[in-house]
Amino acid sequence: MSDLYNVAVVGATGAVGEEMLKILNERNFPIKELKLLASKRSKGKKIKFKDKEYTVEETTKDSFKGIDIALFSAGASRSRELAPYAVEAGAVVIDNSSAFRMDQDVPLVVPEVNSEDIFKHKGIIANPNCTTIIMLMAIKPLYDYAKVKRIIVSTYQAASGAGAQAMEELEKQAAAWAKNEELPIEKFPYQLLFNVIPQVDIFLDNDYTKEEMKMVNETRKMLHDDNILISATCVRLPVFRAHSEAVTVELEKDITKEKAVELIDKFPGVKVVDDIEQGIYPMPLFASNKDDCEVGRIREDLNGKNWLSFWIVGDQIRKGAALNAVQIAEKIIENN
Ligand code: A2P
């Protein structure tokens, strides 16, 4: 690899793909050639990046010749099918889907949490599930201080997690409701507008959803701790693009609110937004389009001195997906 890199974005027309382009631009990622890939449907579509117009190409097994870094965000089946061709062509794949996350040979990485794992890759590095990334941004500093033993988390997830068309569906539902028309329902099992759906992804044999088990398994993999106890309830809300999570943790030693604030605030990528006297706490409306996750409602939990509760909000498309992927790419080139 040289100082400038040939980069492919697979799924460039999707919500995360579009954000990846924005972030590559904002962070001035050293790009030599940029290749924008999507499905056959988008072939020929024009997308502007910096001051140049690019034509979207259909993704095929031959799309990756000369590519150094391939950012995939086109769903797990496309990743399974096409990422091996990108690796074979010599690219490092950073995959936003769930396809390879739990593979032993594939590092699963949040750079602030376990960047040391990146360099164990054999061609593919997986970007974790968005809710897991956001939660770990506050869990990791607490874990390093007093080993988190147990996590109980409820999520309040935005429509963006289900992709660009799902965000559009929420908007169309609002427009239809205002006109007293029938609401379109395709991407979610029920109407999302004015509703709360306690199901994200499919149900598994243990009655948890796939999303909830991702939070369990991916957290254990990234913290290298198979004993950490986690119980998650994942819920979808009519919010456009930032996920919120109510988290309660049990630690191995006692913790004060002041200590928790200090630990979380000095961790990179998170900010404490917590002044209950002034009515200040993180909300998706204000955390959207920001790189930092925001933590508030930090309190000593009534369960005991070694328990803590807090509320975290993070932009699902940014830190929950596109930003995290680009940060992994930056670590790779830094180390090159
Ligand atoms: P397209 O726009 O051509 O359908 P989102 O998660 O926001 O819905 O985005 C999904 C992304 O994955 C889009 O860029 C979409 O492209 C892309 N995609 C879907 N199917 C394929 C495919 N068969 N090959 C490559 N990209 C695909």
Side-chain angles (χ1 to χ4, degrees):
M1 291 192 194
S2 62
D3 289 350
L4 292 175
Y5 301 86
N6 294 334
V7 176
V9 177
V10 184
T13 52
V16 173
E18 273 182 20
E19 200 71 20
M20 281 171 170
L21 293 174
K22 243 194 242 173
I23 291 169
L24 288 168
N25 181 22
E26 277 170 22
R27 297 170 78 93
N28 233 343
F29 195 86
I31 296 176
K32 186 155 79 186
E33 305 271 347
L34 179 64
K35 201 164 195 178
L36 303 187
L37 300 164
S39 80
K40 210 175 178 169
R41 290 180 293 276
S42 303
K43 191 175 165 184
K45 193 177 165 189
K46 308 281 182 205
I47 293 181
K48 222 173 149 195
F49 181 79
K50 295 200 188 272
D51 41 15
K52 210 174 139 192
E53 201 171 62
Y54 291 82
T55 306
V56 176
E57 296 171 42
E58 180 186 354
T59 322
T60 70
K61 57 185 174 50
D62 302 317
S63 299
F64 304 99
K65 197 166 168 266
I67 295 297
D68 300 310
I69 294 171
L71 300 169
F72 270 69
S73 189
S77 49
R78 259 78 61 188
S79 292
R80 257 183 233 113
E81 182 196 333
L82 295 161
Y85 292 108
V87 175
E88 202 179 289
V92 176
V93 170
I94 300 166
D95 181 38
N96 192 52
S97 83
S98 60
F100 309 107
R101 285 181 191 150
M102 295 312 293
D103 286 11
Q104 268 197 344
D105 281 350
V106 175
L108 180 68
V109 176
V110 175
E112 294 87 343
V113 172
N114 62 328
S115 64
E116 68 283 0
D117 289 342
I118 291 177
F119 306 102
K120 298 174 191 156
H121 79 82
K122 299 199 167 108
I124 302 176
I125 298 157
N127 212 37
N129 161 269
C130 49
T131 12
T132 312
I133 295 179
I134 292 165
M135 181 178 80
L136 282 186
M137 293 299 289
I139 291 289
K140 175 65 174 167
L142 300 172
Y143 190 91
D144 288 345
Y145 173 73
K147 195 160 186 227
V148 176
K149 289 202 298 191
R150 183 193 311 265
I151 304 173
I152 299 158
V153 54
S154 294
T155 70
Y156 303 68
Q157 297 183 220
S160 56
Q165 286 168 10
M167 293 167 82
E168 241 170 68
E169 182 166 308
L170 177 59
E171 205 168 338
K172 283 184 187 155
Q173 287 182 354
W177 183 84
K179 287 190 250 162
N180 213 11
E181 289 171 359
E182 200 183 324
L183 272 56
I185 303 168
E186 273 175 39
K187 288 280 164 186
F188 301 108
Y190 294 94
Q191 170 188 327
L192 187 59
L193 185 75
F194 304 134
N195 198 12
V196 166
I197 304 175
Q199 178 187 355
V200 180
D201 212 328
I202 55 168
F203 285 102
L204 302 174
D205 288 346
N206 64 359
D207 293 353
Y208 282 87
T209 62
K210 210 168 167 187
E211 180 85 352
E212 288 159 357
M213 290 314 293
K214 282 177 189 172
M215 294 191 79
V216 175
N217 297 324
E218 295 183 21
T219 298
R220 287 179 173 165
K221 178 166 175 174
M222 282 183 279
L223 293 177
H224 306 284
D225 182 352
D226 287 339
N227 296 320
I228 186 167
L229 300 169
I230 305 162
S231 181
T233 304
C234 291
V235 179
R236 186 83 67 190
L237 275 86
V239 164
F240 277 116
R241 61 173 285 158
H243 287 352
S244 309
E245 303 178 29
V247 188
T248 296
V249 293
E250 183 188 10
L251 304 158
E252 239 175 37
K253 61 182 196 195
D254 294 354
I255 192 161
T256 60
K257 174 179 173 168
E258 290 67 33
K259 188 68 193 172
V261 168
E262 180 199 318
L263 293 167
I264 294 170
D265 215 22
K266 72 172 187 233
F267 195 70
V270 269
K271 209 167 103 187
V272 171
V273 175
D274 195 3
D275 185 351
I276 47 172
E277 275 165 29
Q278 302 296 323
I280 289 172
Y281 30 73
M283 285 186 280
L285 201 58
F286 305 125
S288 290
N289 295 302
K290 288 186 185 159
D291 285 351
D292 284 348
C293 294
E294 298 183 346
V295 183
R297 298 291 323 275
I298 300 172
R299 58 205 187 274
E300 291 165 17
D301 191 271
L302 298 175
N303 275 300
K305 287 190 166 138
N306 59 331
W307 289 70
L308 187 82
S309 285
F310 60 88
W311 171 252
I312 182 161
V313 182
D315 187 308
Q316 179 272 328
I317 311 182
R318 285 214 148 216
K319 184 58 189 165
L323 172 64
N324 198 72
V326 173
Q327 286 174 317
I328 294 172
E330 287 172 347
K331 289 277 175 204
I332 293 169
I333 64 172
E334 243 173 65
N335 200 53
N336 198 23

